[in-house]
Structures are given as C-alpha cells and as structure tokens.
Amino acid sequence: MTRAFIFPGQGSQTVGMGRELAEAYASAREVFDEVNDALGQNLTKLMWDGPQDDLTLTENAQPAIMAVSLAVVRTLEKEGGFDLASKAAFVAGHSLGEYSALAAAGAFTLSDAARLLKIRGQAMQRAVPVGAGAMAAVLGLEYEAAAEVAAEAAQGEVCAAANDNGGGQVVVSGAKAAVERAIEIAKTKGAKRSMLLPVSAPFHCALMQPAADEMAEALAAVVLKMPAVPLVANVTASRVADPASIRQLLVEQVTGMVRWRETVLYMEAQGVGSYVEVGAGKALSGMVKRIASDPEILSVGTPADVEAVLKTL
C-alpha cells in the first residue's frame, strides 16, 4: 500500500514529550542533544520539566515539536534499518511540520531545521503586537462557507481562512476584532461552534508578512537539498522536490493558508492509502480520518509505537 509520512504542527506540545524516547534510545538522545547544541539552549529540559506556558511559546514549541518527530525518524533508522525513501511516496507536514518533513527527507540538516524554526517562531511572534491578532476555530462549516464568513468579517481589516483542516474544521486568522466578528457571523451561517484559540499570534494570514520577509532571509542562508521523498506543500497542496521551489513555498507558507484537506486528498488521488504520523500527539491522524476514505493510520511517538511500526513497515 502506498504510504505517506506526516508531521504535526503547533498545538501538539506537552510537557514530557520525547522523554520516553530519550530514555529508551541513544539515537533519540543524540537528536535532542544536537537540537540543544544548535540552539544554544537546553530545550529538552523545558520539554520534559516545563513549565507548559514556556513550552507553548512559539519560539520553543516549534523546534521542540520538530525535535520529537526527528527523534522518532532517527530511531526508526538506527534501530530498525528504516529507510524513508523506500517506505514513503510522500512526506507532508502541518505548518511547522513541513520543516520536520523536509529534515526527515534530508533536505535540511537537523541543526538548520532547529535554527530555522527558532527564527520562525520569534519572527511570527514579533510580526504582530500581542493581543492585536487572534485565531478562531470554526466548526461545522466547510472551507468555502468559512472563507465567506472571514471575508464578511474583515470590514477593512485582515481576516482570512488560515487552516483548512477538513471535516468542517476551518481556522480563521487576522485582526482580533475581525476574528471576533467572524465568530458571531459564523453562528448565523450554521456553524456548530466557533471559539478563539489560545495562540499568541495570528498565523497564516497577511499580518505575518514581516515574518515571511525574515524567513526569506533566513532560508536563503541555509543549504537546502532535494528531499529523498517529495513534499506535498501546504501552500499548493501538490508535490514539490525542487529546492528553489521548496524555499519559496516555505516563505509563502508564513502568510498562506495550510491547505491540509486538499493535501490529504491530493495524496489519496496519487494512491496513498496508509499514513504514518510521526512525533507528538495524534492530531493529524484525526484529520486524515475525517478527510480520506478508509485510510490506514499509524501514529508513532513512543518506544512502544516505534516497536510496533518497525514490525509493520
């Protein structure tokens, strides 16, 4: 069965993430040590001991989530002789998960991925003053209807669909007042529920342009190789392997919508029936179940998961 490896985004961070992997496998410990060294920060202490509020800060959460995903990949490789290029047709990631996917496929070094995500997190936080922007989940409306809600709510301010997660789950992002208007308008359009999300900035909308500019500069300074497995990009929901194109799409991704529903549908149309979610949590597995028709889904984030997946793959 054709398989894709998928990598989670922000929101899957929890205190204790990755600790069991590090205790069980030297290969996982090496990944965490390398990330700590690249950042000049004891990120693993924060990941394992908290506090949760500090771990949730964008500049910490992004490299931490990537580190857990790559610790899993490195462990699969070293413990089980796993080779991504022979096991997967595609990789894909949700927002920051694209960096994890690309590092797993060898396009970035682990150290460069960690540094880029630290810069990305800081840039996204700096782009908009705290409290000036917001994001809200709109549940029970499909993408087209939710996008219309955002457009109606904008009233001269920024408000746009930021994540199309499938199954009637769309996240809107923009100026705080506009997002609050979107929540009220969504009620009148038949949304089951709409709620503000506990995020520190309005990601994936035009307000993030200063962060996109910073990422263009940061990405230009790193080596980006052709990935061993094609990426299905958030911005286009189609395959890409050319390094120059990937670099440009990662810049556009900062302000662009995460087209996750279309990404999964694209992979399914290419024959993918099996999805392996790599890293912390199972958020993407839930999304895939809502989007794809009868998918086989594996999640791998703990030593027990590693052992199970090695027997399956």
Side-chain angles (χ1 to χ4, degrees), residues 79-185:
E79 298 298 322
F82 168 81
D83 173 54
L84 184 67
S86 66
K87 298 292 187 183
F90 301 103
V91 291
H94 195 284
S95 191
L96 82 89
E98 286 202 319
Y99 288 79
S100 308
L102 288 164
F108 286 132
T109 66
L110 174 62
S111 294
D112 280 345
R115 285 188 287 262
L116 285 167
L117 285 172
K118 187 76 172 178
I119 293 166
R120 186 176 182 268
Q122 291 170 335
M124 291 169 95
Q125 192 59 68
R126 276 195 298 267
V128 179
V130 173
M135 298 181 80
V138 177
L139 307 180
L141 295 182
E142 294 301 327
Y143 164 70
E144 290 79 6
E148 287 175 10
V149 166
E152 185 178 333
Q155 296 177 22
E157 295 183 296
V158 171
C159 188
N163 301 351
D164 177 10
N165 290 331
Q169 184 192 108
V170 180
V171 175
V172 299
S173 181
K176 189 165 189 285
V179 171
E180 288 172 342
R181 286 193 293 271
I183 290 173
E184 294 308 311
I185 293 167

Side-chain angles (χ1 to χ4, degrees), residues 58-71:
T58 302
E59 66 174 88
N60 294 324
Q62 294 198 21
I65 290 163
M66 184 277 298
V68 176
S69 291
L70 269 292

